[in-house]
Amino acid sequence: MTVFAVLILIALIAIPLVIEKSRSVMAQDTRNTAPGEFAQLSKGVTHYNWYGPARGPVVVCVHGLTTPSFVWRSMVRGLAVMGFRCLTYDLYGRGYSDKPKGKQDADFFLTQLNELLSDQGVSDDITIVGYSMGGAISTLFAAQNPSRVRQLILLAPAGMGIVAGRLGNFIVKTPVIGDWLMLAFYPGQLRKGIKAEADLPKSVEGMADLQENELKFRGYLPAVLASLRGVLWRALKEEHQIIHRAEHSRAGHLGPRRYRDPDRRCRNFGRMVPQCDPGNCGRCGARIDLYTHRCRVASDP
């Protein structure tokens, strides 16, 4: 291999690393433009927002892997009109929240959620709504705190099974090389997905631009990969069974689960908790329906 070829190879390897290093750091001047408030928690600053009357029933909304809390704007405004008090927040690594390095496993996200609820004086009787990865986090929270949860609502939740192609599996399982591949190829894949959905109806104005804007900030891509390697890298069969037992226990206070989900996850839930009929369980009250838009949560009884 010639010296010129070696230099080309080094340049190709360096480009994704240099691009990540050149991305903006989430700074105070950017946060000054954000709606809502900020809380200093043990692992960093968390951006949050309240909607609705101060004394309404509390609904906590947990967003997914790549799209921050702005994904809830339309839904929570509808719930607020109905009298609910809705809390949305940016998970670490996304939106206006800090982007700490390291593992993003169950303990990482549950610590953030528990600390934010404590900071905001929210104790129990919570309805928690989780979308995508937020569904996994919400499931973990409900399994850990069944007495605090009034109702668990999962929208296309992660944690029903592991779905990843060969390249995705390789990136998640392979240190160093996987990190480089994530920096090199994931931005293009994300932009491709955003473009493919450009003509679909949106409940949030400017959704595509807001999603793509995440790529401008340093630490976002490593955070996505850390979550894929952490909280998303196993099915939550045990947690769903804990919740199921809590629903049937005299000592359990957890209210009915509601699922809004494509067919595949409904079938996976049926395999996880075979005592429940994946349609409309008369024993525990879990409803597993087809769901296509978050806005239906506000209109569905």
Side-chain angles (χ1 to χ4, degrees):
M1 184 180 291
T2 66
V3 173
F4 180 74
V6 171
L7 292 174
I8 292 294
L9 179 61
I10 291 173
L12 289 174
I13 293 172
I15 285 172
L17 305 177
V18 172
I19 291 174
E20 172 64 14
K21 190 70 175 177
S22 67
R23 290 189 169 103
S24 300
V25 176
M26 180 57 63
Q28 189 57 47
D29 59 343
T30 302
R31 286 181 171 145
N32 288 339
T33 67
E37 304 293 337
F38 295 89
Q40 179 65 57
L41 307 180
S42 65
K43 297 184 183 299
V45 172
T46 291
H47 170 242
Y48 68 92
N49 210 345
W50 281 102
Y51 300 80
R55 296 187 178 182
V58 173
V59 178
V60 178
C61 302
V62 190
H63 68 76
L65 176 65
T66 60
T67 307
S69 60
F70 61 73
V71 74
W72 299 112
R73 285 179 188 170
S74 177
M75 188 193 83
V76 294
R77 286 168 180 162
L79 290 173
V81 171
M82 297 168 64
F84 290 95
R85 177 77 164 153
C86 300
L87 174 63
T88 67
Y89 70 103
D90 290 334
L91 296 170
Y92 287 130
R94 288 90 176 160
Y96 295 101
S97 291
D98 275 349
K99 297 168 174 56
K101 297 179 181 179
K103 294 193 301 182
Q104 294 198 0
D105 54 13
D107 288 340
F108 176 81
F109 286 116
L110 288 177
T111 296
Q112 183 188 22
L113 178 52
N114 279 309
E115 288 182 353
L116 180 60
L117 294 177
S118 177
D119 180 81
Q120 293 299 296
V122 178
S123 54
D124 52 20
D125 201 28
I126 303 166
T127 292
I128 186 164
V129 184
Y131 170 58
S132 186
M133 184 177 78
I137 296 168
S138 299
T139 297
L140 289 161
F141 179 85
Q144 187 182 82
N145 306 279
S147 64
R148 299 180 66 185
V149 178
R150 180 178 185 177
Q151 186 171 224
L152 172 63
I153 302 176
L154 304 178
L155 316 178
M160 295 293 184
I162 305 302
V163 181
R166 287 185 178 180
L167 180 59
N169 272 313
F170 181 82
I171 289 173
V172 170
K173 293 180 178 179
T174 310
V176 183
I177 296 175
D179 295 60
W180 183 88
L181 290 170
M182 184 73 177
L183 294 176
F185 294 106
Y186 187 78
Q189 290 299 311
L190 182 61
R191 291 188 178 100
K192 182 178 179 181
I194 292 171
K195 185 177 180 180
E197 297 180 353
D199 296 329
L200 296 178
K202 300 290 192 302
S203 60
V204 176
E205 185 177 355
M207 171 73 86
D209 292 337
L210 290 168
Q211 287 177 300
E212 191 163 346
N213 189 62
E214 290 296 295
L215 292 170
K216 296 179 181 179
F217 293 98
R218 189 189 309 170
Y220 170 71
L221 294 173
V224 172
L225 180 56
S227 295
L228 291 170
R229 288 172 170 169
V231 71
L232 294 178
W233 199 242
R234 70 179 180 91
L236 302 180
K237 179 178 180 179
E238 180 180 348
E239 285 76 10
H240 281 286
Q241 291 179 339
I242 290 171
I243 294 168
H244 176 77
R245 289 193 294 270
E247 288 167 346
H248 288 283
S249 170
R250 290 183 180 180
H253 301 286
L254 181 62
R257 285 164 292 179
R258 299 171 65 192
Y259 294 80
R260 299 289 178 269
D261 209 5
D263 285 330
R264 174 180 56 78
R265 291 190 181 91
C266 290
R267 292 193 296 270
N268 286 351
F269 173 76
R271 287 192 287 269
M272 287 181 177
V273 189
Q275 301 94 327
C276 284
D277 170 27
N280 192 348
C281 180
R283 294 185 61 200
C284 70
R287 291 172 51 187
I288 307 175
D289 303 326
L290 294 179
Y291 175 84
T292 54
H293 295 85
R294 286 176 295 279
C295 56
R296 278 187 55 196
V297 175
S299 60
D300 207 9

